[in-house]
Amino acid sequence: MSNISEFSLTRIVSGIKKKDFTSEEVTRSFINNSKKSKKLNTYITECFDQAIQSAKNFDKKKDYKGLLSGVPIAVKDLFCTRNVKTTAGSKILHNFVPTYESTITSNLWSQGSFLLGKLNCDEFAMGSSNETSFFGNVINPFGQKLVPGGSSGGSASALAANLTPATIGTDTGGSIRQPASFTGTVGLKPTYGRCSRWGIVAFASSLDQAGPMTKNVKDCALLLQAMSGYDPKDSTSVDIKVDNYTSKLTEKIKGLKIGIPKEYTVDNMPNEIDNIWKQGVDYLIDAGATIKNISLPHTIYALPAYYIVAPAEASSNLARYDGVKYGHRAKGNNLVEMYENTRSEGFGDEVKRRILIGTYVLSSGYYDAYYLKAQKVRQLIKNDFDKAFTDVDAILTPSTPSSAFKIGDKKDDPVSMYLNDIFTVPVNLSGLPAISVPTGYDKNNLPLGLQLIGKAFDEQTILNLSLAIEKRANFNKKIKVWWN
Amino acid sequence: MSIDKDTVKHISKLARISLDDKKIANLSKDLSSIMKFIEKLNELNTDKTSPLTSIINASLKSRSDEIRDGKIRDQILKNSPETNKEFFVVPKVIE
């Protein structure tokens, strides 16, 4: 039998149920891999001993009712986990041990899963390369010098390297889809309100959404189903029925109309990205879809609007880190000095930049010129999608304007780093669901993904379309283990 | 708009983040380039557009106003860097 850790989540769930292997065997397999993979720097906190205990308990009880019965899962260190350190990749929370559990992780545990560990991420999820983490950058298994993308970089790397059978991330501007594209994995950002945000360390509350990251589309449907649902503790979560994504999953997509937006291209975009996009179009035509060229004219304004809205919300959300109630505290001769020193020592450079931009655009005399303007532009971007969706069922674009880049390449130029999210950010601004599905490789054998954007709460259609692409792309992870 | 060093000092005061001179100089450069990028929005005429207030067409649910938890003082204090009995401790505020 090949190594369990190479199996899909779906295969592991059914294998445990059929007693092909025990939960403990599964858990040990991922722990063994994880222990040998320190070079990737994916874990911030390992929960291996507790995981083995949970697996043993499961094997004794043999309760197979859950969707994820007996499966260990490592999650992004942005989800609060009871009695397990939760850092958000920041020094300011380096010692924070929540006394409560996020709704999303609770949902996973109530489906029979248990925690394997907490995965590295950009500090407060602010970054596109995982280089802003206080705990060091994560390495992409596709190359020793490559970033895994971000902010859910530890999640993406751990998944690609078979250190966890599946994982969950969060996506505020592309933080699930971009790292998924960089690591040849599947990542889905659900519709805003599909999943509860309660117990997730907040970055930009009108944009944040948790979502599944998996090895294939079927796993993605399964994990999304386990996570989703209304939560009275998050007033922005929406009380509408969660589809049975797995039972409805089908590659029969005949008759669906797919929009191809002409604005999703940038200067100097490698030809390979265009080629893979055309390839995706061909796959969908082959599966019976019809293609329509569309226009989303305000696309170019999405990133500038995002870099007002997200920092504004972040500056407000991060005001709570003051060294009083939890986290790092620095010395100061008086209360204000203590606050200022705590925040200066506790936050890294990128977080400081965003707090200051947010403070500036919300400050007296500038609110109308920046924040109000950005919210108006956000409406225009949403109108573009609303109009497009009167005519098409989903939209196909590249996930990212490049493949994984080298560590350090964009670190000193914040704006060039921000441009990574040019194809993912419009979706967050509009609250829509979108998925990145691995489709091919560039000339350096680095994975490239395509993004499918769906109508609000229509995750099923983009999952089905992704399945049609996945079947045809026959994407085989060309990955040589060099990091053990 | 460029963000000069005095503006950086002012907003860092508002945001309660202390910065040394070198950081202030770097941030002035970084923030200016970000603001220049943001100002692309000025190309758009938005006089007739109303600002987006909610991205999902769902009204917020109301709930009955009742106490659902409580008696968790120890949990709340557990992560504090400094406590005294049931209080958070901060540097002296009143002389």
Side-chain angles (χ1 to χ4, degrees), chain A residues 171 188-197 206-212 224 228-229 234 236-238 240 245 382 427-428 430-435 453-460 462, chain B residues 55-57:
Chain A
D171 190 316
L188 185 145
K189 183 202 92 74
T191 312
Y192 185 82
R194 177 89 286 179
C195 294
S196 170
R197 291 182 296 109
S206 80
L207 304 161
D208 295 346
Q209 190 65 199
L224 180 65
S228 297
D234 173 6
T236 63
S237 72
V238 178
I240 63 170
Y245 299 116
K382 185 175 182 295
V427 166
N428 299 77
S430 312
L432 300 169
I435 186 171
I453 306 168
K455 294 177 186 172
F457 298 103
D458 188 13
E459 281 82 1
Q460 189 73 57
I462 55 173
Chain B
I55 45 174
I56 35 169
N57 297 323

Side-chain angles (χ1 to χ4, degrees), chain A residues 174-467:
Chain A
S175 284
I176 287 174
R177 292 159 286 156
Q178 185 251 21
S181 180
F182 280 11
T183 55
T185 55
V186 176
L188 185 145
K189 183 202 92 74
T191 312
Y192 185 82
R194 177 89 286 179
C195 294
S196 170
R197 291 182 296 109
W198 193 83
I200 302 174
V201 177
F203 162 13
S205 301
S206 80
L207 304 161
D208 295 346
Q209 190 65 199
M213 301 174 78
T214 56
K215 290 179 185 172
N216 64 39
V217 175
K218 198 172 178 194
D219 287 1
C220 189
L222 176 65
L223 194 52
L224 180 65
Q225 204 173 322
M227 297 168 67
S228 297
Y230 170 67
D231 175 14
K233 287 191 275 195
D234 173 6
S235 62
T236 63
S237 72
V238 178
D239 193 4
I240 63 170
K241 195 174 153 275
V242 177
D243 278 330
N244 190 328
Y245 299 116
T246 42
S247 72
K248 289 187 179 169
L249 190 66
T250 171
E251 55 171 313
K252 290 186 185 128
I253 53 136
K254 200 169 163 50
L256 287 182
K257 214 188 238 186
I258 311 302
I260 308 296
K262 64 169 190 251
E263 290 83 3
Y264 276 59
T265 185
V266 294
D267 292 346
N268 305 322
M269 189 161 86
N271 282 337
E272 295 140 323
I273 306 249
D274 256 331
N275 293 341
I276 220 102
W277 196 7
K278 285 186 194 119
Q279 187 75 70
V281 168
D282 289 343
Y283 291 150
L284 292 178
I285 291 173
D286 180 58
T290 51
I291 302 296
K292 189 172 175 325
N293 290 320
I294 60 167
S295 173
L296 300 165
H298 295 94
T299 300
I300 194 169
Y301 300 104
L303 261 186
Y306 176 85
Y307 275 96
I308 294 172
V309 174
E313 293 184 15
S315 72
S316 167
N317 271 328
L318 272 62
R320 73 190 70 182
Y321 302 104
D322 59 3
V324 176
K325 296 180 288 299
Y326 38 70
H328 177 74
R329 174 188 284 197
K331 289 202 178 355
N333 292 320
N334 55 55
L335 184 62
V336 170
E337 212 179 282
M338 187 278 281
Y339 290 154
E340 290 180 343
N341 293 343
T342 293
R343 292 164 64 78
S344 178
E345 286 177 14
F347 294 136
D349 288 344
E350 181 60 21
V351 173
K352 285 185 184 131
R353 278 196 280 267
R354 300 217 195 174
I355 290 176
L356 293 177
I357 286 285
T359 306
Y360 181 69
V361 298
L362 291 176
S363 65
S364 176
Y366 294 105
Y367 178 86
D368 283 6
Y370 293 113
Y371 190 72
L372 200 68
K373 178 88 183 178
Q375 290 292 57
K376 288 178 171 185
V377 174
R378 197 173 171 186
Q379 184 67 58
L380 293 173
I381 291 162
K382 185 175 182 295
N383 292 349
D384 283 355
F385 280 111
D386 287 348
K387 189 166 166 245
F389 279 124
T390 59
D391 197 29
V392 298
D393 298 294
I395 294 169
L396 181 74
T397 77
S399 300
T400 53
S402 75
S403 59
F405 49 88
K406 285 205 177 71
I407 293 163
D409 258 12
K410 303 187 182 198
K411 215 178 165 203
D412 299 325
D413 180 0
V415 173
S416 88
M417 185 68 92
Y418 298 169
L419 288 170
N420 259 292
D421 296 333
I422 195 156
F423 298 151
T424 46
V425 150
V427 166
N428 299 77
L429 289 172
S430 312
L432 300 169
I435 186 171
S436 176
V437 57
T439 311
Y441 289 90
D442 71 359
K443 60 177 183 302
N444 300 318
N445 271 332
L446 298 177
L448 294 170
L450 287 178
Q451 173 177 242
L452 283 149
I453 306 168
K455 294 177 186 172
F457 298 103
D458 188 13
E459 281 82 1
Q460 189 73 57
T461 297
I462 55 173
L463 283 165
N464 292 351
L465 291 164
S466 301
L467 187 69

Side-chain angles (χ1 to χ4, degrees), chain A residues 97 239 301 329 360 373, chain B residues 1 30 43-44 61 79 89:
Chain A
V97 181
D239 193 4
Y301 300 104
R329 174 188 284 197
Y360 181 69
K373 178 88 183 178
Chain B
M1 185 187 287
D30 288 347
E43 292 171 9
L44 276 176
K61 283 197 154 204
N79 275 288
V89 175

Side-chain angles (χ1 to χ4, degrees), chain B residues 3 49 54 94:
Chain B
I3 307 239
T49 312
S54 168
I94 304 162

